[in-house]
């Protein structure tokens, strides 16, 4: 029987709980707030309001109310569990693990082990995630999410067979839930089991037809398999579902480039830039498309924009130098090459910059400098047949017929390998 001070005897409290049970969260919050205004330390009402905020997805507000409850009743395991889950959903993984650990110490509940397993997984603590998921499975062998978490943790640790087995078990236990199918599809994709991956992503789309990520994941495989029509269809649908995702436009632009529809690719990349103007990779690809259409001025403008934002973007200097070489701006092209070869730039491009320097010097008629540059290029790129061909031209111009013939022979030997 409720006592005189028991909140269950309060009609406002009973109404608040009824609204919470009926998923009428705004009304529940209003009623619980009325009680809290009368008694700021009313733990029952704080807990009820916290649950209402939690169900609405307002996790910061829920945590504030859980804090009040836990301060007064530190052994309230359910409040610790729910605050831990709220922290998990806010990606505060350390705080989530702390709360869930306290909840488990008070009551080793299957839900707490499963949630802590997921928090540990997200916090890159795979061994702990596996341990907790295993404890959850021992308590509830049909808990699909625990198999899902453990499967991902095994996969992250390189235990592919165990990971795949757990994910398969998760799909069997929850055949109408998309999560396990999507995760297993990604795993199959990594394993290059593309037919299995497509089957899983297709199942995800059947379960959750508005999940844009599934279309994109399937589109990437279609693109890899050169099934461009299927890839276009999936990217188009993903963009319909999520028209403000810059990555989707960027990835579809790759398809347009594959079909040499550079105008459409530029339109997609421009849209991506409008959505994510701080992403220089969009500018990089649009510069390539502008260059492919012969619009060198716009290409150089995009590359200059990249360099202004990221002066250490070595690839931008390389592309810019190549365009300037093509347009005859040899002095600036050479300056771009020298910048790209500075110690603070990416050394992986050094062979390409020396190759461009060789071409610039050859155009200028400075044959010794061209020869020296091509020699440096081949030190970095010893299997680049096209550089042997260009160096052969220098040897020919210098009257070194034997050296030119040797370079052409080497180029002929390497050409098939480079083209493969």
């Amino acid at each position: 029987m409720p006592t005189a001070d028991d909140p269950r005897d309060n009609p406002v409290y009973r109404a608040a709980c009824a609204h919470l049970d009926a998923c009428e969260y705004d009304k529940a919050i209003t009623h619980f707030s009325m009680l809290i205004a009368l008694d700021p330390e009313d733990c029952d009402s704080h807990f009820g309001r916290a649950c209402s905020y939690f169900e609405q997805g307002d996790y910061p507000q829920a945590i504030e109310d859980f804090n009040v409850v836990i301060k007064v009743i530190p052994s309230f395991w359910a409040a610790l569990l729910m605050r831990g889950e709220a922290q998990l959903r806010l990606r505060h993984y350390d705080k989530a693990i702390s709360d869930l650990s306290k909840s488990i110490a008070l009551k080793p509940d299957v839900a707490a082990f499963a949630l802590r397993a997921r928090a540990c997984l997200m916090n890159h603590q795979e061994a702990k995630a596996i341990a907790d998921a295993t404890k959850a499975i021992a308590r509830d062998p049909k808990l699909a999410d625990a198999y899902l978490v453990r499967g991902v943790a095994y996969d992250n640790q390189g235990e592919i067979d165990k990971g795949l087995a757990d994910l398969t078990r998760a799909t069997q236990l929850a055949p109408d839930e998309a999560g396990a199918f999507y995760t297993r599809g990604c795993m199959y994709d990594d394993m290059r089991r593309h037919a299995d991956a497509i089957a899983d992503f297709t199942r995800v789309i059947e379960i959750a037809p508005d999940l844009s990520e599934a279309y994109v994941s399937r589109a990437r495989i279609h693109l890899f398999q050169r099934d461009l029509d299927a890839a276009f269809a999936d990217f188009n649908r993903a963009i319909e579902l999520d028209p403000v995702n810059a990555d989707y436009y960027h990835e579809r632009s790759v398809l347009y480039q594959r079909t040499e529809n550079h105008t459409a690719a530029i339109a997609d990349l421009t849209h991506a830039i409008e959505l994510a103007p701080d992403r220089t990779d969009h500018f990089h690809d649009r510069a390539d498309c502008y260059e492919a259409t012969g619009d060198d001025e716009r290409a150089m403008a995009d590359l200059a924009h990249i360099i202004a934002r990221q002066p250490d973007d070595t690839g931008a200097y390389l592309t810019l130098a190549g365009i300037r070489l093509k347009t005859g701006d040899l002095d600036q092209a050479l300056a771009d090459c020298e910048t790209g070869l500075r110690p603070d730039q990416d050394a992986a491009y050094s062979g390409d910059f020396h190759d461009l320097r060789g071409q610039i010097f050859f155009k200028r008629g400075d044959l010794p400098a061209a020869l020296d540059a091509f020699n440096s290029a081949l030190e970095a790129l010893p299997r680049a047949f096209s550089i042997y061909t260009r160096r052969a031209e220098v040897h020919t111009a210098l009257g070194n017929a034997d050296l030119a013939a040797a370079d052409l022979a080497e180029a002929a030997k390497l050409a098939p390998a480079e083209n493969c």
Side-chain angles (χ1 to χ4, degrees), residues 159-217:
E159 297 181 81
I160 308 300
D161 291 340
K162 288 182 178 180
L164 193 57
D166 270 351
L167 291 171
T168 298
R169 183 60 178 147
T171 65
Q172 293 166 347
L173 290 168
D176 294 323
E177 293 184 14
F181 285 101
Y182 183 80
T183 305
R184 190 176 66 174
C186 293
M187 191 173 177
Y188 279 141
D189 188 15
D190 290 340
M191 297 167 70
R192 293 295 186 263
R193 290 175 57 173
H194 291 137
D196 290 325
I198 286 176
D200 271 355
F201 293 138
T202 300
R203 178 59 185 147
V204 173
I205 290 167
E206 291 170 353
I207 297 168
D210 292 340
L211 187 65
S212 62
E213 294 93 328
Y215 292 95
V216 169
S217 296

Side-chain angles (χ1 to χ4, degrees), residues 31-354:
H31 282 72
F32 284 127
S33 297
M34 290 167 59
L35 294 167
I36 291 168
L38 296 171
D39 182 2
E41 295 184 359
D42 178 356
C43 288
D44 294 289
S45 295
H46 275 291
F47 184 71
R49 191 170 69 176
C51 293
S52 303
Y53 281 130
F54 183 93
E55 294 299 335
Q56 280 190 327
D58 190 346
Y59 303 118
Q61 287 291 339
I63 288 169
E64 285 191 19
D65 276 332
F66 284 133
N67 289 344
V68 174
V69 176
I70 293 167
K71 183 178 179 180
V72 177
I73 313 173
S75 61
F76 194 169
W77 69 270
L80 287 163
L81 185 148
M82 292 189 70
R83 188 174 71 175
E85 185 173 358
Q87 298 286 13
L88 172 59
R89 296 193 182 193
L90 290 172
R91 302 182 182 181
H92 301 160
Y93 302 125
D94 289 331
K95 291 180 178 179
I97 291 168
S98 175
D99 274 350
L100 293 166
S101 297
K102 292 174 184 175
S103 178
I104 287 169
L106 293 164
K107 182 178 179 179
D109 182 75
V110 60
F113 280 115
L115 288 168
R116 191 172 68 175
R118 182 170 287 278
C120 288
L121 176 64
M122 300 305 294
N123 212 30
H124 308 293
Q125 298 173 353
E126 277 77 10
K128 291 182 179 179
I130 290 169
D132 273 349
T134 300
K135 290 175 183 176
I137 290 167
R139 287 164 172 78
D140 182 358
K142 294 185 177 181
L143 186 60
D145 190 64
Y147 287 99
L148 170 58
V149 168
R150 192 172 70 175
V152 174
Y154 277 135
D155 183 34
N156 289 351
Q157 289 191 156
E159 297 181 81
I160 308 300
D161 291 340
K162 288 182 178 180
L164 193 57
D166 270 351
L167 291 171
T168 298
R169 183 60 178 147
T171 65
Q172 293 166 347
L173 290 168
D176 294 323
E177 293 184 14
F181 285 101
Y182 183 80
T183 305
R184 190 176 66 174
C186 293
M187 191 173 177
Y188 279 141
D189 188 15
D190 290 340
M191 297 167 70
R192 293 295 186 263
R193 290 175 57 173
H194 291 137
D196 290 325
I198 286 176
D200 271 355
F201 293 138
T202 300
R203 178 59 185 147
V204 173
I205 290 167
E206 291 170 353
I207 297 168
D210 292 340
L211 187 65
S212 62
E213 294 93 328
Y215 292 95
V216 169
S217 296
R218 192 171 66 176
R220 289 169 182 152
I221 299 175
H222 289 317
L223 175 59
F224 179 81
Q225 295 178 328
R226 301 183 182 181
D227 187 350
L228 302 188
D229 288 340
F232 267 122
D234 276 346
F235 274 123
N236 290 344
R237 181 59 180 147
I239 288 170
E240 287 176 9
L241 292 168
D242 188 0
V244 295
N245 190 312
D247 286 329
Y248 293 175
Y249 291 97
H250 193 146
E251 292 196 59
R252 190 174 66 178
S253 79
V254 174
L255 283 173
Y256 284 125
Q257 291 176 66
R258 288 280 184 91
T259 58
E260 297 188 1
N261 188 348
H262 296 292
T263 300
I266 289 168
D268 267 358
L269 289 164
T270 299
H271 203 149
I273 288 167
E274 291 169 353
L275 292 168
D278 293 334
R279 289 271 300 277
T280 58
D281 56 328
H282 304 323
F283 286 94
H284 263 294
D285 276 19
R286 191 172 69 172
D288 290 341
C289 291
Y290 278 137
E291 185 182 6
T293 62
D295 194 342
D296 293 328
E297 184 176 346
R298 283 195 172 93
M300 289 191 290
D302 274 352
L303 294 165
H305 174 85
I306 295 167
I307 291 168
R309 296 185 66 86
Q310 294 184 331
D312 60 347
D313 192 319
T314 312
Y317 287 105
L318 180 65
T319 306
L320 190 56
I323 295 173
R324 284 172 167 158
L325 168 62
K326 180 179 63 177
T327 59
D329 189 356
L330 302 185
D331 289 341
Q332 194 56 55
L334 186 59
D336 287 334
C337 288
E338 299 303 335
T339 300
L341 287 167
R342 287 187 328 215
D344 62 325
Q345 298 293 330
D346 188 346
Y349 292 94
S350 64
D352 297 298
F353 279 115
H354 284 301

